């Protein structure tokens, strides 16, 4: 018997089944099906054959000389979830259309956060033809569009600060930050903005949040007076989130339980960090002039953050020990 292998992974825009397979599926309606735990028909692979092999052998081979097609819905759920967790998003979404069992397995992959971290880039936005809690994901290379239901607060009301490790960093209308995975729907709350040094909430006479006041964290408190060089800057909540948050970078996937979020924020592009599960932000003032940062990234090889300052300096930031360590590794000579 000659083994013919069919692709398990297919692009969302392609036809998932060959003409031969479609003919076999038609014959299935007229013939009895067999389950994976029942005796195999003559000529089919033995019961000892690995389940992984069953997934990749073409249906025409599964029945040997018989034209009885296999029941793909009988693939063991744990094996199916393991395979689906390796797919690109188009293939994962397309696999959900195979049958009810596969749809349930795809939902489990999303719910458990098992989606492969290696994915093509997607444009994520809120589409006007969908409800406010639905995110639209557009594959940049193929143009294919997918939709994912997300938890509150409504995705349309959020301000997207940036993305890192396949997660979005979003701010709600009260300026609170959330890490959001648009594929799995997982969400992690970060410490509130008033725990950032130099940020103070402002309330109305009825106790309703009206906005936030900002001062330079490194400024001399004695100079923070009306008319002074460092007087507080007030912004209403919805505007405050656009002013306060510049960029956020993650050291790892938040679901790993060991993720550090490094935040570039106003005023004066300072840095603050928090670990997932922390209740407050920690201001990074490890050395003089830890501000005016324009960009940051994380290096998996050495476990360090790298930050570029506006004055032509590059700093390494080590947040692995009990106290932050900042070093200048490059300085542009004037």
């Amino acid at each position: 018997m000659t083994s013919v292998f069919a692709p398990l992974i297919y692009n969302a825009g392609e036809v998932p089944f060959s003409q031969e397979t479609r003919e076999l599926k038609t014959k299935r309606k007229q013939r009895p099906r067999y389950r994976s735990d029942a005796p195999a028909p003559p000529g089919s692979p033995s019961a000892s054959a690995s389940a992984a092999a069953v997934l990749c052998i073409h249906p025409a081979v599964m029945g040997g000389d018989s034209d009885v097609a296999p029941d793909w819905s009988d693939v063991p759920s744990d094996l199916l979830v393991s395979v689906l967790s390796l797919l690109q998003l188009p293939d994962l979404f397309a696999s959900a259309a195979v049958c009810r069992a596969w749809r349930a397995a795809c939902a489990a992959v999303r719910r458990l956060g098992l989606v492969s971290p290696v994915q093509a880039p997607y444009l994520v936005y809120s589409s006007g033809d969908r409800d406010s809690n639905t995110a639209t994901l557009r594959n940049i290379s193929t143009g294919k569009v997918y939709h994912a239901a997300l938890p509150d607060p409504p995705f349309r009301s959020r301000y997207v600060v940036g993305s890192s490790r396949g997660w979005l960093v979003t701010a709600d209308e009260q300026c609170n930050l959330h890490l959001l995975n648009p594929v799995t729907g997982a969400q992690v709350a970060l410490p509130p903005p008033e725990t950032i040094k130099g940020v103070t909430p402002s309330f109305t006479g009825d106790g309703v949040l009206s906005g936030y006041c900002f001062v330079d964290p490194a400024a001399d408190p004695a100079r923070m007076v009306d008319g002074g060089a460092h007087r507080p800057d007030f912004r209403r909540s919805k505007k405050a989130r656009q002013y306060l948050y510049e960029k956020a970078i993650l050291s790892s996937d938040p679901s790993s339980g060991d993720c550090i979020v490094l935040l570039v924020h106003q005023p004066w592009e300072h840095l603050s960090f928090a670990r997932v599960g922390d209740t407050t932000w920690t201001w990074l003032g490890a050395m003089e002039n830890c501000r005016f940062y324009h960009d940051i990234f994380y290096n998996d090889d050495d476990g360090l953050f790298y930050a570029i300052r506006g004055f032509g300096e590059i700093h390494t930031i080590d947040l692995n020990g009990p106290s932050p360590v900042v070093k200048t590794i490059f300085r542009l000579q004037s």
Side-chain angles (χ1 to χ4, degrees):
M1 180 174 66
T2 303
S3 296
V4 181
F5 291 87
L8 176 63
I9 303 175
Y10 51 84
N11 294 329
E14 297 177 350
V15 179
F17 298 107
S18 65
Q19 179 63 34
E20 180 182 6
T21 304
R22 287 196 294 271
E23 293 173 356
L24 288 173
K25 287 171 67 66
T26 301
K27 292 181 180 180
R28 286 177 56 188
K29 298 179 181 179
Q30 304 172 353
R31 297 177 178 274
R33 297 189 301 177
Y34 64 92
R35 298 181 56 85
S36 59
D37 55 354
S44 64
S46 65
S48 62
S50 69
V54 173
L55 276 177
C56 63
I57 297 178
H58 194 280
V61 179
M62 287 294 296
D65 296 331
S66 171
D67 53 4
V68 177
D71 184 358
W72 290 106
S73 64
D74 284 339
V75 176
S77 58
D78 55 345
L79 173 62
L80 186 57
V81 167
S82 297
V83 174
L84 293 176
S85 66
L86 302 176
L87 301 185
Q88 290 282 308
L89 291 185
D91 305 314
L92 178 64
F93 285 121
S95 297
V98 173
C99 61
R100 291 182 179 179
W102 284 46
R103 178 178 291 275
C106 290
V109 171
R110 291 187 60 204
R111 184 179 68 255
L112 299 175
L114 301 178
V115 178
S116 172
V118 181
Q119 297 288 339
Y122 282 79
L123 180 64
V124 183
Y125 57 94
S126 178
S127 178
D129 61 351
R130 298 282 169 163
D131 63 73
S132 60
N133 279 84
T134 298
T136 298
L137 292 78
R138 179 181 294 273
N139 188 305
I140 296 177
S141 60
T142 66
K144 293 290 291 185
V145 172
Y146 309 92
H147 304 284
L150 300 177
D152 286 329
F155 182 67
R156 188 169 300 163
S157 69
R158 303 184 191 222
Y159 171 67
V160 179
V161 180
S163 63
S164 181
R165 307 280 178 175
W167 290 64
L168 298 178
V169 184
T170 70
D172 63 22
E173 294 180 327
Q174 284 71 48
C175 210
N176 295 303
L177 284 177
H178 302 269
L179 301 179
L180 177 66
N181 190 312
V183 177
T184 67
Q187 182 167 256
V188 177
L190 294 177
E194 58 266 28
T195 64
I196 298 175
K197 188 174 181 180
V199 180
T200 305
S202 179
F203 300 91
T204 66
D206 298 328
V208 178
L209 178 68
S210 60
Y212 295 86
C213 292
F214 303 95
V215 296
D216 185 352
D220 182 357
R223 300 181 62 190
M224 296 181 192
V225 296
D226 290 342
H230 301 286
R231 63 181 182 275
D233 182 12
F234 173 78
R235 305 289 175 105
R236 295 197 176 277
S237 298
K238 289 185 180 181
K239 297 294 184 181
R241 57 184 179 175
Q242 299 177 23
Y243 167 76
L244 177 60
Y245 304 122
E246 290 286 334
K247 187 170 186 177
I249 291 295
L250 312 181
S251 65
S252 61
D253 189 313
S255 60
S256 68
D258 189 28
C259 174
I260 301 175
V261 182
L262 185 59
L263 180 68
V264 182
H265 60 85
Q266 296 291 354
W268 308 118
E269 291 93 18
H270 283 269
L271 297 179
S272 293
F273 69 92
R275 291 173 171 82
V276 170
D278 284 354
T279 57
T280 61
W281 290 96
T282 300
W283 176 57
L284 191 63
M287 61 185 292
E288 188 178 359
N289 292 325
C290 273
R291 55 181 179 173
F292 302 123
Y293 289 100
H294 285 194
D295 204 1
I296 52 176
F297 66 92
Y298 183 79
N299 188 350
D300 291 318
D301 293 332
D302 57 18
L304 300 176
F305 288 92
Y306 287 75
I308 302 173
R309 295 188 67 213
F311 297 102
E313 288 184 352
I314 300 178
H315 293 173
T316 59
I317 303 170
D318 187 352
L319 301 177
N320 299 304
S323 299
V325 178
V326 179
K327 296 180 180 179
T328 301
I329 61 172
F330 176 83
R331 180 180 288 112
L332 187 64
Q333 300 298 324
S334 57

